[in-house]
Structures are given as structure tokens and as C-alpha cells.
Amino acid sequence: QGSTEDAPLARKGVDFTGALDDALLNETIDAAVHSCKDIPPQNRWRAGLTIAACLPRADVQDVLVGPYSSLQDLPAEARVGSASMRRQAQLLSRRPDVRVVNIRGNVGTRLAALDAGEVDALILAKAGLDRLAESRADIHPIPLDDILPGAAQGIIAVVCRADDAAILDNIDDHEARHCVTA
């Protein structure tokens, strides 16, 4: 379920990967799969857990979804949806005249909000859209000069108990791991 609350979860101190970490430590689950950029740094080194595998890195760019082909094409006061503080800050640095709408939920929920006119455009990770095979005609890459990707963006991380990490060695992509640990 999506929402358009005022503050991003990160600003509220919400740790949405922590519950899965607890389930790993309690042996309720054996592995948790995350977009690596969403794992809070303090959780990447939580005692007893490890990022046991990183999958090959996908496209790192963010994209503008909607009828405008670039950030420069957005009209003044355009409502641009993003739940990422990083994206919001960079957008407002480039375009202080637009209105950021803090929009959360899965990709489908966010796209539905765009289609319903709740926002004029969205900023999303291209990797997420690609993984969902979302191929709308209104997806426009944002140049890296306009918005830099998040650290580890485009990398899927598999977290497990440190004692079980060896079982995932065969799917660990060393190039992606280097990006995560650099």
C-alpha cells in the first residue's frame, strides 16, 4: 500500500530491513534479499549477519517517469514523487521551483499514483523498473550530471547468518561485491 506522507522513512528513523535481520537472527528465515542501497549502513555489519552474496549490478541510473523527458522540462510547481531523501535533495538542488511529493509503496503503486494524476512525474531507479520488466514509453533516463545514484544502487544483496554464508559463495558476483565494500 502506498502513501504520500510528508517525511521520508529515513528521516523518521524507520529501519525497514531490521525486521528481516531479526528474523534471520531468530532463525525464522534463512536469507533476506534487499536492494543493497536500502540496507542502512549500520545494518550491513550487524553482529551475526553478513551480506553473503551480491548479484551482478544492474543499471545505476535514476529515471524520470511521466510526460516530461528531463528535469529541465518539468514545469514550475510540478509535483515530483520520490521517497528518497537523496533524490529529493538533488532534484531540489537542480530545480528549487518544483514540489517534492514523498510517495512510498511498491513500484506499481507509485506508477498508479502517477497515472491517477497524484503527481506530475516520478523519480525511480531504472534497475527496479528493469527487474519488473516495466517498459512504459514515458521512462526517461536522468543524466548522472543531474542526479547521482545511491551507493550500491542496482545491486541485490542476500543477507544471511554469518555461519551460513559459504552456501551462497557460488552466486556472489565479485565485481558487485567490490562496489559494495569499496
Side-chain angles (χ1 to χ4, degrees):
Q1 181 177 5
S3 75
T4 55
E5 294 185 22
D6 292 338
L9 290 176
R11 191 175 299 155
K12 292 181 174 185
V14 173
D15 172 12
F16 63 89
T17 64
L20 292 173
D21 290 346
D22 292 342
L24 282 165
L25 291 170
N26 294 334
E27 298 188 8
T28 305
I29 62 174
D30 294 317
V33 179
H34 303 288
S35 175
C36 197
K37 69 175 176 53
D38 294 335
I39 302 173
Q42 67 273 17
N43 288 17
R44 293 183 190 175
W45 299 279
R46 190 163 170 190
L49 300 179
T50 189
I51 296 175
C54 295
L55 302 186
R57 193 171 204 174
D59 193 320
V60 301
Q61 271 188 298
D62 286 317
V63 294
L64 185 68
V65 184
Y68 307 101
S69 61
S70 70
L71 298 181
Q72 293 75 20
D73 290 343
L74 291 166
E77 298 297 317
R79 298 164 299 149
V80 182
S82 174
S84 163
M85 289 176 30
R86 171 189 57 81
R87 290 181 183 122
Q88 291 176 9
Q90 291 185 74
L91 171 63
L92 290 173
S93 173
R94 289 276 183 197
R95 290 294 309 271
D97 60 317
V98 302
R99 292 185 5 223
V100 170
V101 177
N102 186 53
I103 187 166
R104 294 197 299 258
N106 63 37
V107 170
T109 301
R110 295 177 196 206
L111 292 172
L114 171 66
D115 294 339
E118 295 174 30
V119 292
D120 300 308
L122 294 168
I123 299 178
L124 299 171
K126 184 164 185 334
L129 294 170
D130 289 348
R131 286 188 182 108
L132 295 170
E134 186 60 59
S135 59
R136 297 166 59 119
D138 60 351
I139 297 174
H140 312 283
I142 299 173
L144 297 177
D145 287 344
D146 285 343
I147 294 188
L148 288 172
Q153 185 158 317
I155 298 173
I156 296 293
V158 184
V159 178
C160 72
R161 291 177 293 281
D163 293 343
D164 299 333
I167 198 165
L168 295 171
D169 281 346
N170 63 343
I171 66 167
D172 191 34
D173 182 86
H174 299 288
E175 200 170 304
R177 174 163 301 279
H178 178 73
C179 292
V180 169
T181 58

